[in-house]
Amino acid sequence: MKHWYMLTLVGKDQPNIVAHTTRLLYQAGCRLGEANMNRLGGSFTVMLMVEKTLPKTALKALLQPVVERFNLSLHVVVIEGDLHQHQIPNICVRVHGADRAGIVAQVTSALAQKGFNILELCSDVGGSQEQPFYILQIEGVATAPLEELQQALADLRDVQVEISAIDACIM
Amino acid sequence: MAVLPILTYPDPRLQRVAEPVIDFGQNFQTLVDDLLATLRVSAHGVGMAATQVGVLQRLVIVDVSSKANIKHHGLQVLVNPEILDWQGFASGREGCLSVPDYIGTVIRAKKIQLKAQDRHGQWREYAMEGYEARAVQHEIDHLDGKLFLDRLVSKKRDLMLRQFI
């Protein structure tokens, strides 16, 4: 099995972070794997698989110019690649309501008790400063029946919860 | 009947536009049978276009009857299909036998009016919806050299849109 690095970069959002980072890696002969890059609040976050062809210290040194230029935090860990082994989510959970503390913890804890494995979670805070609302979407693999998951989240009465099967159409 | 090899992305033949079927003779009938045999042995496949086996003719087959509780027309051989009208839009997950190990979110029309010839050249019209309509739109895209990869939408954007539409 090939080993890779998982590289994370976080800093204040500004143009050219991705271009500078990936250009440095490309020029050094690094191959990239899967990536997830998002603006979260005012920050830009990069999670990027980089094939392990350089020592960790060399990879960090390679990226030092981009870290300094954009004032980023860099973290690098060795991972197993596991490419081409996508798990297919079979359940989607959508939650939205007036923002308050604890929504994510309550939803994910209830799902975890039912053996739900989260493959992807994304959330957004919309509305205004005075009236923020929270939107949460989780996709994952459930072995418990849909009705059991609905029951597990039934106590969350102050937010809207929708649980549906993900039926991927293979054509 | 022969099971044909399925082209997989990035094979450039998947991006070519198919030609209308004019000759419904024996060679075409053999192609239809081979495409049916190929779909039958494919894992979870509910449709296939001739383009996916490297034949650039406007032929698709769709059979979503394996899905529970949906409206469908059973196994359909659709030749020279044309979408006459469509209504509404819905996002949904799609995968493709020609794009292994990847599933993405795609927006398609909820309902379509379709005109197509059957395997003997007879024109028919269909009203399709939901899963079946999605499958047909996906397959017709193959005939136009498009993959669902060309129509992917961001799940996060889809999430936001759901709150406001």
Side-chain angles (χ1 to χ4, degrees):
Chain A
M1 183 180 292
K2 279 187 179 175
H3 284 75
W4 293 66
Y5 293 115
M6 182 63 79
L7 177 160
T8 62
L9 282 163
V10 181
K12 184 173 172 55
D13 187 27
Q14 50 200 303
N16 298 329
I17 294 174
V18 179
H20 276 76
T21 304
T22 54
R23 191 167 60 237
L24 281 176
L25 292 166
Y26 174 60
Q27 286 171 346
C30 295
R31 184 180 161 220
L32 307 185
E34 296 179 7
N36 197 333
M37 307 186 192
N38 283 300
R39 182 183 159 104
L40 299 176
S43 299
F44 194 73
T45 64
V46 173
M47 284 182 288
L48 176 62
M49 289 175 67
V50 179
E51 196 171 14
K52 190 171 176 284
T53 50
L54 300 169
K56 191 169 165 179
T57 49
L59 180 63
K60 285 186 159 181
L62 174 70
L63 292 169
Q64 200 53 34
V66 79
V67 165
E68 289 176 6
R69 175 173 178 158
F70 296 102
N71 193 25
L72 303 172
S73 297
L74 169 66
H75 186 61
V76 179
V77 291
V78 177
I79 59 164
E80 290 178 353
D82 289 342
L83 290 174
H84 314 295
Q85 295 176 45
H86 285 117
Q87 288 193 38
I88 308 293
N90 63 351
I91 292 287
C92 177
V93 180
R94 294 190 189 87
V95 179
H96 63 90
D99 192 18
R100 64 164 173 80
I103 294 174
V104 180
Q106 289 169 351
V107 171
T108 55
S109 298
L111 293 173
Q113 284 183 351
K114 295 295 173 188
F116 186 92
N117 184 30
I118 294 174
L119 298 179
E120 189 172 329
L121 182 155
C122 63
S123 68
D124 249 307
V125 182
S128 62
Q129 295 252 6
E130 298 73 33
Q131 266 194 310
F133 61 85
Y134 200 77
I135 310 171
L136 172 66
Q137 178 168 294
I138 300 171
E139 290 183 356
V141 178
T143 48
L146 188 68
E147 297 72 26
E148 210 172 297
L149 298 174
Q150 286 169 331
Q151 189 62 36
L153 294 173
D155 288 341
L156 285 165
R157 298 185 196 285
D158 64 330
V159 289
Q160 296 292 316
V161 179
E162 180 196 326
I163 307 175
S164 55
I166 298 174
D167 200 2
C169 204
I170 309 291
M171 290 161 273
Chain B
M1 285 196 291
V3 173
L4 305 171
I6 297 174
L7 304 182
T8 55
Y9 186 74
D11 191 310
R13 287 172 289 179
L14 289 167
Q15 290 166 299
R16 292 174 61 187
V17 177
E19 297 291 329
V21 174
I22 300 165
D23 183 351
F24 289 79
Q26 188 53 50
N27 287 346
F28 179 73
Q29 298 305 320
T30 301
L31 171 63
V32 171
D33 289 337
D34 290 350
L35 203 59
L36 288 166
T38 306
L39 179 63
R40 279 194 197 109
V41 299
S42 65
H44 311 299
V46 296
M48 189 171 288
T51 303
Q52 290 176 273
V53 295
V55 178
L56 293 173
Q57 294 196 46
R58 298 190 77 81
L59 160 67
V60 307
I61 53 176
V62 172
D63 183 2
V64 298
S65 59
S66 59
K67 301 289 173 186
N69 304 320
I70 61 167
K71 289 185 182 174
H72 62 79
H73 292 80
L75 172 64
Q76 291 298 321
V77 176
L78 305 171
V79 185
N80 299 322
E82 290 175 41
I83 295 176
L84 304 172
D85 193 18
W86 56 86
Q87 288 177 19
F89 292 98
S91 64
R93 290 304 190 84
E94 291 184 18
C96 181
L97 295 166
S98 293
V99 186
D101 193 39
Y102 189 79
I103 282 175
T105 303
V106 178
I107 293 175
R108 302 279 188 192
K110 283 182 184 173
K111 295 182 178 182
I112 57 171
Q113 287 287 331
L114 182 79
K115 181 175 94 168
Q117 287 168 281
D118 65 17
R119 65 183 295 169
H120 304 294
Q122 186 73 37
W123 283 101
R124 296 170 186 267
E125 286 202 19
Y126 304 83
M128 294 180 169
E129 63 182 70
Y131 200 92
E132 185 178 47
R134 176 171 293 273
V136 167
Q137 290 171 81
H138 177 113
E139 300 308 340
I140 291 176
D141 267 357
H142 276 301
L143 303 182
D144 294 326
K146 286 191 183 301
L147 296 167
F148 77 100
L149 302 177
D150 299 310
R151 298 190 183 276
L152 290 176
V153 296
S154 150
K155 271 189 279 182
K156 194 162 183 180
R157 191 170 305 140
D158 178 47
L159 173 67
M160 289 301 282
L161 287 172
R162 280 172 187 273
Q163 312 310 313
F164 300 113
I165 292 177

